[in-house]
Amino acid sequence: GKTKDDLDKLQVRVEAIADDMKTGEFSSDDVSQYIYAKHAKERNKVIFERTEGKVENGSGMSDAEADQILNSYEGKKKEQMEAISKKVQEIVADTRRTYVELGLENQEAIDAFESMFENYVPLSGIAIDEETAETSSYPTGGGGLAIYGSPTKRARGRKTQAQNILAQVVAQNAQAKVRGRKNEALNTLYNLVQDNPNSKVWRITDTVKYESDNAVGIRVNGQQRYIVFRDASMAKSLKK
């Protein structure tokens, strides 16, 4: 289906990066640190302003550390690493396009995000030794269709360095595709409910009580909406 096609295209992008890494003899950690460093200074600036100067290194990496990493590459090695960084940013840009195209976010929110960051990469990872099947950001395909919350988060700053940045970029894109295609399917149902109002069967609302059994969350042009069923079993079947 569509999700498989999306993930197959992502795999092609990942393999191209892997080939470039092999050619340049770069490890995943080398690439992760480089793309982290390219984003660190701009993120530090945003967090510094957001906290009114209370947090200087909000990315978890200082400006000096970022400069040291970026300046450690010269000549051909620099060109090779920049080429890889460009391909990574193509995946990041595709993630943002997916958010908009599949209704998870609105264009205004993405435009505001892009105005802040030129070299954004996700820094949301937890410590490697704490990562489990439950906390991993890699999507498993998911059983249920319910979609809740914005996929873009407000950067709050961190005190420790993020890990596995390259893997996070790939995982975030895969998650956007899986989540987005589920949302796309729910939008079809949403339109059906809108075109066929029947309070005895279903209704649409902006808010519901926490963990409502008969409501299914959906993102419509970046806005949170809910389809509320009179029969809770209908909602339950979509959440499985």
Side-chain angles (χ1 to χ4, degrees):
K2 291 182 178 179
T3 303
K4 183 180 183 303
D5 290 342
D6 290 338
L7 296 180
D8 285 345
K9 291 176 182 177
L10 173 60
Q11 183 63 28
V12 171
R13 291 178 183 269
V14 172
E15 288 175 355
I17 290 173
D19 287 342
D20 287 353
M21 288 169 58
K22 186 176 181 180
T23 300
E25 298 182 337
F26 300 126
S27 68
S28 176
D29 187 59
D30 291 335
V31 174
S32 289
Q33 285 291 298
Y34 189 84
I35 59 179
Y36 188 173
K38 290 197 70 170
H39 176 49
K41 294 175 71 172
E42 60 183 3
R43 197 178 187 106
N44 288 343
K45 182 175 182 292
V46 167
I47 301 299
F48 184 81
E49 293 172 353
R50 190 167 289 166
T51 61
E52 298 181 343
K54 294 178 181 178
V55 179
E56 292 188 4
N57 303 320
S59 71
M61 177 184 289
S62 69
D63 288 2
E65 289 172 322
D67 285 336
Q68 184 177 15
I69 291 170
L70 296 175
N71 294 333
S72 68
Y73 293 92
E74 299 177 342
K76 186 177 181 180
K77 286 290 185 181
K78 181 77 168 183
E79 292 177 8
Q80 290 174 320
M81 190 62 91
E82 276 295 316
I84 292 172
S85 176
K86 183 179 179 181
K87 289 181 179 179
V88 170
Q89 283 303 318
E90 288 172 356
I91 295 178
V92 173
D94 180 67
T95 299
R96 290 196 291 263
R97 281 194 302 272
T98 299
Y99 287 157
V100 175
E101 291 172 1
L102 299 183
L104 297 173
E105 267 300 359
N106 58 57
Q107 188 62 57
E108 290 76 15
I110 296 300
D111 288 344
F113 193 76
E114 291 180 340
S115 70
M116 284 192 297
F117 301 126
E118 183 179 350
N119 297 294
Y120 171 79
V121 288
L123 304 180
S124 56
I126 60 175
I128 297 171
D129 59 353
E130 293 178 5
E131 191 161 9
T132 68
E134 287 73 33
T135 59
S136 174
S137 56
Y138 285 94
T140 59
L145 282 176
I147 301 294
Y148 302 95
S150 168
T152 56
K153 304 294 183 183
R154 183 178 173 88
R156 297 179 182 275
R158 55 185 298 132
K159 296 180 180 179
T160 58
Q161 286 200 10
Q163 304 293 323
N164 303 320
I165 310 300
L166 180 58
Q168 285 190 53
V169 168
V170 176
Q172 189 181 65
N173 185 267
Q175 192 173 47
K177 300 297 184 183
V178 172
R179 193 172 185 225
R181 290 304 181 189
K182 288 181 180 180
N183 196 61
E184 186 179 47
L186 278 177
N187 266 269
T188 300
L189 177 59
Y190 177 87
N191 292 333
L192 178 65
V193 176
Q194 269 200 323
D195 295 340
N196 299 275
N198 187 341
S199 59
K200 294 181 179 179
V201 180
W202 50 29
R203 64 185 174 87
I204 292 170
T205 183
D206 296 347
T207 59
V208 295
K209 291 183 179 179
Y210 181 65
E211 292 188 345
S212 177
D213 291 337
N214 61 337
V216 175
I218 177 176
R219 302 285 291 180
V220 181
N221 296 322
Q223 302 301 311
Q224 187 70 52
R225 298 288 184 269
Y226 300 89
I227 302 172
V228 181
F229 295 91
R230 189 71 175 268
D231 182 354
S233 66
M234 295 180 70
K236 186 177 180 180
S237 68
L238 290 171
K239 294 178 180 180
K240 285 182 179 179

